[in-house]
């Protein structure tokens, strides 16, 4: 549990809050390149860390991210014209570049220098492999982008989606740090219903069998340079245990351990839209091989009416609630105000939860905790050790910044993000940390089999 004060400290992300200030030191995956598909594409209204912003692609191809309302008299820049070098407000034609400078004020006298005194809040953006990252922090120039492998492999090797959770980012992210729920929430009562998170395989691996057979994993948790490493072990063969090592990377990245031969790797960035909405950016990639057409189709479509780890192409409302508001209000068909459909017959006969697939199962639990989970009422058990350590780490980083001016960990060490989640069968007497040291290290283009 956390005191009400600590819970607030942990979950508030707006400008001026301790956690919000800490989060702003990191690059934030803001939108997918496909959402601003072409030069001069229609701008997008997004919200990040509680700030309303407008993203646009200017005539030189670069992405700009500015405050949503024009500094002249507040008209929405969403209606603006993306032009060479910036965006021009539709109301009186003031134009702003991607750095936030007013570069044209066509309704003022030609000799006026008023435009040199007006700026719009603007955040630097960098586009890498289909993801637009934004930097909302104080450092000039900004720190380097983190070496997260999912965003470094070539496009044919990866698949990235996003969905919205109508709750605070912490409780959404905590679902991925807690390995213990899978053997329940995502389990099937029979062998023919496949509802486990790694959707790119049709046969259960040895590791999956160990995991499903032992519902009482034992946890060991360690701080790493830029995060927390959560080891969960399950009974395997005699004299060995099956270890799954989930990685948390500051401030909101999680990496899920793999299963089977030549495995794909998956995980999320849990990007806070505001205190009560989260963009779950989901990735699946192979470190060395392009994803096959079959793998992509499994990721893109429902199977037997069930969703996977990624939202399927059918999981979204056909159009956003407000045109141009495609990013933060991307509507899922279920969740938020409407409950997820639960099939009680399915729950009685085949599926532990009766809920329609992996991410709806997670989201139904997380959104149902309330917009911001009341952690003062929790009763945490031994399988919650990872969550406890991650909370402590985030609070400590925010505290050290607020009280001692210390830059949060990892910000200037992009290489600390070049790690993987891992899994291994470890004989008793051996150390799971040592046994997974190699497979936890990213070597671009190199992949390892998993149990
Ligand atoms: S409100 Fe934007 S130019 Fe006047
Ligand atoms: Fe889950």
């Amino acid at each position: 549990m956390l005191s009400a004060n600590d819970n607030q400290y942990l979950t508030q992300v707006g400008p001026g809050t301790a956690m919000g200030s800490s989060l702003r030191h990191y690059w934030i995956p803001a939108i997918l390149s496909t959402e601003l598909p072409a030069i001069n594409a229609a701008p997008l209204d997004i919200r990040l860390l509680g700030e309303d912003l407008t993203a646009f692609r200017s005539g030189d191809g670069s992405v700009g991210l500015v405050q949503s309302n024009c500094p002249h008299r507040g008209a929405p820049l969403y209606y603006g014209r993306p032009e060479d070098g910036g965006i021009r407000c539709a109301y009186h034609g003031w134009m702003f570049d991607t750095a936030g400078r007013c570069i044209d004020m066509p309704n003022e006298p030609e000799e006026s220098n008023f435009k040199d005194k007006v700026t719009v809040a603007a955040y630097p953006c960098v586009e890498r492999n289909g993801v637009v990252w934004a930097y909302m922090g104080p450092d000039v120039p900004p720190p380097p982008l983190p070496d997260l492998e999912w965003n470094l492999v070539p496009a044919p090797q990866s698949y990235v989606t996003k969905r919205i959770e109508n709750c605070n980012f912490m409780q959404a992210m905590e679902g991925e740090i807690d390995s213990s729920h899978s053997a329940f929430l995502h389990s099937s009562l029979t062998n023919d219903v496949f509802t486990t998170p790694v959707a790119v395989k049709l046969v259960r691996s040895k590791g999956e069998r160990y995991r499903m057979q032992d519902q009482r994993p034992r946890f060991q948790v360690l701080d790493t340079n830029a995060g927390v490493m959560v080891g969960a072990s399950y009974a395997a063969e005699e004299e060995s245990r099956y270890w799954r090592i989930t990685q948390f990377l500051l401030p909101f990245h999680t990496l899920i351990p793999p299963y089977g031969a030549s495995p794909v790797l998956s995980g999320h960035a849990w990007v806070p839209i505001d205190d009560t909405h989260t963009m779950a950016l989901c990735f699946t990639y192979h470190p060395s091989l392009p994803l096959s057409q079959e793998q992509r189709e499994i990721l893109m479509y429902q199977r037997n009416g069930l969703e996977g780890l990624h939202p399927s192409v059918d999981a979204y409302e056909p159009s956003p609630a407000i045109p141009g508001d495609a990013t933060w209000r991307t509507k899922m068909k279920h969740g938020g105000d409407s409950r997820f459909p639960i099939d009680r017959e399915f729950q009685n006969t085949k599926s532990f939860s009766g809920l329609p697939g992996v991410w709806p199962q997670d989201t139904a639990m997380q959104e149902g905790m309330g917009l911001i989970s009341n952690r003062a009422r929790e009763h945490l058990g031994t399988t919650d050790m990872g969550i406890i350590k991650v909370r402590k780490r985030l609070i400590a980083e925010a505290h050290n910044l607020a009280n001692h001016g210390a830059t949060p960990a990892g910000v200037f060490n992009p290489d600390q993000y070049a790690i993987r989640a891992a899994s291994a069968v470890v004989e008793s007497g051996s150390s799971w940390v040592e046994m997974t040291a190699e497979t936890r290290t990213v070597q671009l283009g190199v992949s390892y089999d998993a149990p």
Side-chain angles (χ1 to χ4, degrees):
M1 63 170 276
L2 282 184
S3 69
N5 273 349
D6 280 353
N7 200 30
Q8 229 179 40
Y9 199 88
L10 182 68
T11 54
Q12 290 189 344
V13 302
T17 63
M19 191 58 66
S21 303
S22 185
L23 292 170
R24 280 167 172 75
H25 279 72
Y26 296 93
W27 281 96
I28 299 170
I31 55 175
L32 303 180
S33 299
T34 49
E35 293 176 283
L36 285 174
I39 283 177
N40 301 350
L44 282 174
D45 278 346
I46 70 170
R47 183 179 287 177
L48 275 184
L49 307 184
E51 296 184 39
D52 287 321
L53 305 167
T54 298
F56 63 94
R57 194 180 286 281
S58 74
D60 65 358
S62 64
V63 174
L65 186 63
V66 294
Q67 73 185 53
S68 279
N69 291 91
C70 177
H72 176 212
R73 286 195 3 245
L77 287 171
Y78 162 69
Y79 294 115
R81 304 164 52 88
E83 294 184 8
D84 282 355
I87 188 164
R88 189 181 293 281
C89 179
Y91 209 0
H92 312 94
W94 292 17
M95 178 153 168
F96 305 93
D97 68 9
T98 53
R101 288 175 295 242
C102 183
I103 53 172
D104 193 19
M105 206 175 256
N107 65 339
E108 288 291 317
E110 263 178 64
E111 63 279 13
S112 163
N113 66 350
F114 186 36
K115 77 171 165 48
D116 301 332
K117 300 180 178 142
V118 177
T119 56
V120 69
Y123 297 119
C125 291
V126 171
E127 204 165 3
R128 189 172 71 182
N129 285 335
V131 177
V132 178
W133 295 76
Y135 179 71
M136 300 168 75
D139 285 304
V140 183
L145 285 179
D147 293 348
L148 286 158
E149 190 179 29
W150 64 266
N151 188 232
L152 288 172
V153 296
Q157 290 170 222
S158 78
Y159 182 71
V160 180
T161 57
K162 59 175 209 176
R163 61 184 169 80
I164 303 304
E165 282 203 36
N166 299 282
C167 64
N168 184 258
F169 82 106
M170 273 308 294
Q171 70 209 55
M173 181 169 77
E174 285 173 356
E176 198 133 288
I177 296 162
D178 143 36
S179 303
S180 152
H181 76 272
S182 281
F184 301 92
L185 182 67
H186 301 311
S187 71
S188 54
L189 305 178
T190 60
N191 271 333
D192 59 333
V193 183
F194 198 92
T195 62
T196 52
V198 181
V200 187
K201 296 178 299 79
L202 298 170
V203 183
R204 285 190 199 283
S205 67
K206 197 163 66 173
E208 268 169 301
R209 287 200 312 274
Y210 293 142
R211 187 186 198 186
M212 288 297 163
Q213 280 160 13
D214 183 358
Q215 296 181 328
R216 301 177 196 277
R218 294 184 214 149
F219 278 69
Q220 286 182 18
V221 187
L222 299 172
D223 272 308
T224 59
N225 288 330
V228 171
M229 181 158 82
V230 182
S233 79
Y234 301 76
E237 307 306 321
E238 250 179 77
E239 303 295 310
S240 66
R241 289 186 71 77
Y242 169 59
W243 281 88
R244 293 180 61 71
I245 295 99
T246 302
Q247 301 278 11
F248 160 74
L249 285 159
L250 288 159
F252 45 51
H253 303 279
T254 49
L255 310 177
I256 306 171
Y259 288 115
S262 190
V264 291
L265 299 169
S266 296
H268 286 88
W270 305 94
V271 181
I273 291 167
D274 54 27
D275 290 352
T276 55
H277 297 84
T278 302
M279 175 177 82
L281 189 129
C282 184
F283 53 84
T284 293
Y285 70 97
H286 194 288
S288 55
L289 299 171
L291 298 180
S292 68
Q293 189 56 28
E294 187 195 8
Q295 284 175 315
R296 276 182 195 280
E297 284 175 8
I298 291 172
L299 294 167
M300 285 172 71
Y301 300 106
Q302 296 181 348
R303 264 186 303 159
N304 305 324
L306 298 176
E307 292 283 312
L309 186 68
H310 288 265
S312 76
V313 293
D314 297 316
Y316 301 92
E317 286 289 10
S319 59
I322 301 172
D325 205 354
T327 302
W328 83 268
R329 270 182 226 162
T330 299
K331 281 270 187 210
M332 312 312 292
K333 278 186 187 157
H334 301 295
D337 297 337
S338 70
R339 281 208 158 144
F340 284 90
I342 179 165
D343 180 341
R344 296 289 176 183
E345 171 64 18
F346 189 45
Q347 188 180 34
N348 286 333
T349 54
K350 292 190 165 173
S351 148
F352 187 87
S353 73
L355 289 160
V358 177
W359 74 260
Q361 291 161 354
D362 286 321
T363 306
M365 300 302 116
Q366 292 150 8
E367 289 188 350
M369 295 169 179
L371 293 174
I372 301 177
S373 177
N374 180 351
R375 292 179 174 78
R377 292 200 307 220
E378 297 172 331
H379 299 81
L380 300 182
T382 57
T383 60
D384 299 310
M385 279 169 63
I387 289 173
I388 294 168
K389 199 159 195 82
V390 168
R391 291 176 185 174
K392 278 192 181 149
R393 184 70 184 270
L394 276 164
I395 289 173
E397 298 291 343
H399 179 89
N400 287 337
L401 172 67
N403 295 286
H404 310 294
T407 301
V411 168
F412 286 103
N413 299 94
D415 53 311
Q416 291 174 352
Y417 286 76
I419 61 174
R420 291 178 185 161
S423 53
V425 175
V426 180
E427 290 181 9
S428 36
S430 299
S431 144
W432 63 273
V433 177
E434 280 170 25
M435 292 297 292
T436 58
E438 189 179 3
T439 53
R440 283 188 285 105
T441 306
V442 168
Q443 285 188 63
L444 285 177
V446 176
S447 84
Y448 301 97
D449 289 344

